């Protein structure tokens, strides 16, 4: 199967669009309405990928360097950064190779290009699955630290964290192998979409519950110290804003990609769904943007990690 720029093999057989010149405009569908098609310039795609690579390398380096960060929470954050790093590296490398092939700087050999495409597809798929899993692991870790604070160090131990990390990586590799091998089956796409919905529900339930607990705690402190009501409202708004950023970023960056998969199952031949398929490169770009935003949300807010980064 030919490589289509930054597009993945998992969907390239079902997606007839290919990278075009940078533009934002209306594309006419032969059998349906006009479509708003957003083409992402290869230069922008590569730049975002490189920014993501630098950010996530710094997070991994900081966690490895500072022994104070050798705890389950930071190991989960480190693994999330490693997953995002793999997503970015695989997309950047494949896009760069395609640009070199198009420019004639590399001699195109079908077998080598196919092997590179298969490796990049497997790496991207496994890192996507592991990235979503580690987002869930971070949420569960924070939930336990809030609701079972006194038992946290007994429940979340380093051996258990390492077993969970190993299980996530193994499951991600197995899942990516199955997805790449049987990508043309509807069941594979349904499993991917179901997995995304399950992670979205898990994150929403855990973080909403944590926000409610924090608001109750703030009200108790306010009653104890007779703090003004405006302080309570300010805390509630800040917590709601943080929750909106966490869930909003997750849904905005990952939602379009899984919407694409859902529409392939529901309406692969419908003209309106075809308009969505034309923006597949944009959806991959949003995933790269998520790899840029994740360190800002989960890692760089830590004072200890920022201090380590300054030393690095």
């Amino acid at each position: 199967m030919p490589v289509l720029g930054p597009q993945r093999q998992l969907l390239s057989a079902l997606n007839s669009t290919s990278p075009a010149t940078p533009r934002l405009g209306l594309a006419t569908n032969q059998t349906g309405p006009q479509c708003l098609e957003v083409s992402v310039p290869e230069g922008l795609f590569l730049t975002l990928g490189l920014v993501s690579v630098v950010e996530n390398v710094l997070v991994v380096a900081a966690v490895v360097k500072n022994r104070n960060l050798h705890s389950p929470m930071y190991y989960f954050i480190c693994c999330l950064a490693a997953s995002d790093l793999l997503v970015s590296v695989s997309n950047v490398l494949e896009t760069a190779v395609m640009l070199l092939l198009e420019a004639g700087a590399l001699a195109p050999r079908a077998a080598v290009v196919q092997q590179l495409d298969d490796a990049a597809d497997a790496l991207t798929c496994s890192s996507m699955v592991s990235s979503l899993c580690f987002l869930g692991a971070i949420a569960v870790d924070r939930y336990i630290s809030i609701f079972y604070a006194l038992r946290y160090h007994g429940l979340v131990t380093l051996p258990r964290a390492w077993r969970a990390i190993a299980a996530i990586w193994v499951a991600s590799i197995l899942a990516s192998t199955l997805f790449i091998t049987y990508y043309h089956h509807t069941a594979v796409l349904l499993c991917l979409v179901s997995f995304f919905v399950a992670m979205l529900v898990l994150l929403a339930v855990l973080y909403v519950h944590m926000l409610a607990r924090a608001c109750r705690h703030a009200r108790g402190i306010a009653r104890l110290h007779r703090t003004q009501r405006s302080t309570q409202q300010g805390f509630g708004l800040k917590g709601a804003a943080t929750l909106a950023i966490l869930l909003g970023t997750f849904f905005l960056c990952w939602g379009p990609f899984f919407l694409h998969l859902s529409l392939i199952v529901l309406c692969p031949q419908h003209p309106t769904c075809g308009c969505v398929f034309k923006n597949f490169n944009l959806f991959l770009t949003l995933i790269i943007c998520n790899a840029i935003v994740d360190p800002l949300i989960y890692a760089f807010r830590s004072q200890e990690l920022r201090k380590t980064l300054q030393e690095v």
Side-chain angles (χ1 to χ4, degrees):
M1 182 179 300
V3 185
L4 300 176
Q7 294 180 357
R8 304 287 92 188
Q9 178 181 332
L10 181 63
L11 294 175
S12 58
L14 299 172
N15 179 32
S16 60
T17 62
S18 61
T21 56
R23 63 188 175 88
L24 169 60
L26 294 176
T28 303
N29 193 312
Q30 295 179 355
T31 60
Q34 289 184 321
C35 302
L36 181 64
E37 181 180 357
V38 181
S39 294
V40 181
E42 286 86 352
L44 175 61
F45 190 84
L46 286 172
T47 301
L48 292 174
L50 291 174
V51 171
S52 170
V53 168
V54 171
E55 281 190 356
N56 288 288
V57 165
L58 287 175
V59 173
V60 174
V63 174
V64 172
K65 177 180 175 59
N66 190 343
R67 291 187 177 274
N68 294 331
L69 302 179
H70 291 184
S71 64
M73 179 184 70
Y74 284 106
Y75 282 143
F76 290 139
I77 292 176
C78 181
C79 289
L80 174 62
S83 299
D84 290 339
L85 177 63
L86 292 177
V87 171
S88 302
V89 167
S90 60
N91 279 277
V92 167
L93 285 180
E94 186 171 3
T95 304
V97 170
M98 281 306 303
L99 292 176
L100 292 174
L101 288 173
E102 292 173 2
L106 292 178
R109 294 184 179 180
V112 176
V113 173
Q114 182 63 55
Q115 292 175 356
L116 175 64
D117 184 43
D118 293 341
D121 292 334
L123 181 61
T124 299
C125 190
S126 62
S127 55
M128 283 182 177
V129 173
S130 62
S131 179
L132 294 175
C133 288
F134 285 119
L135 285 172
I138 292 171
V140 171
D141 177 79
R142 293 184 174 181
Y143 184 87
I144 295 175
S145 69
I146 291 176
F147 287 89
Y148 303 95
L150 297 178
R151 300 171 54 196
Y152 173 79
H153 294 289
L155 294 173
V156 185
T157 61
L158 279 178
R160 289 178 178 176
W162 282 119
R163 286 196 293 269
I165 290 171
I168 289 174
W169 283 115
V170 171
S172 300
I173 294 172
L174 293 177
S176 67
T177 303
L178 293 175
F179 292 155
I180 296 301
T181 304
Y182 302 103
Y183 67 92
H184 55 284
H185 290 284
T186 301
V188 170
L189 301 181
L190 289 176
C191 288
L192 277 171
V193 174
S194 300
F195 175 66
F196 168 74
V197 173
M199 293 306 304
L200 179 61
V201 171
L202 175 67
L203 294 178
V205 170
L206 292 181
Y207 281 119
V208 168
H209 199 186
M210 283 187 276
L211 175 61
R213 174 66 175 268
C215 289
R216 288 197 301 269
H217 184 67
R219 286 196 296 268
I221 294 177
R223 285 195 299 268
L224 181 62
H225 298 281
R226 297 180 180 179
T227 309
Q228 294 180 353
R229 185 176 182 83
S230 59
T231 303
Q232 302 175 40
Q233 294 176 344
F235 178 85
L237 290 174
K238 183 179 179 181
T242 302
L243 178 63
I245 291 173
L246 287 171
L247 298 181
T249 300
F250 178 82
F251 185 78
L252 178 63
C253 293
W254 288 97
F257 176 81
F258 286 95
L259 173 64
H260 186 110
L261 298 185
S262 302
L263 295 181
I264 288 177
V265 175
L266 298 174
C267 53
Q269 303 299 329
H270 196 279
T272 303
C273 296
C275 291
V276 178
F277 300 154
K278 288 180 180 294
N279 292 287
F280 181 65
N281 286 337
L282 174 62
F283 305 155
L284 283 180
T285 304
L286 289 175
I287 293 178
I288 298 296
C289 291
N290 180 79
I292 295 175
V293 174
D294 277 347
L296 302 178
I297 295 177
Y298 297 98
F300 295 154
R301 297 173 65 184
S302 167
Q303 184 177 359
E304 184 72 22
L305 193 143
R306 290 199 305 270
K307 179 181 177 181
T308 306
L309 284 178
Q310 292 175 356
E311 297 175 357
V312 172

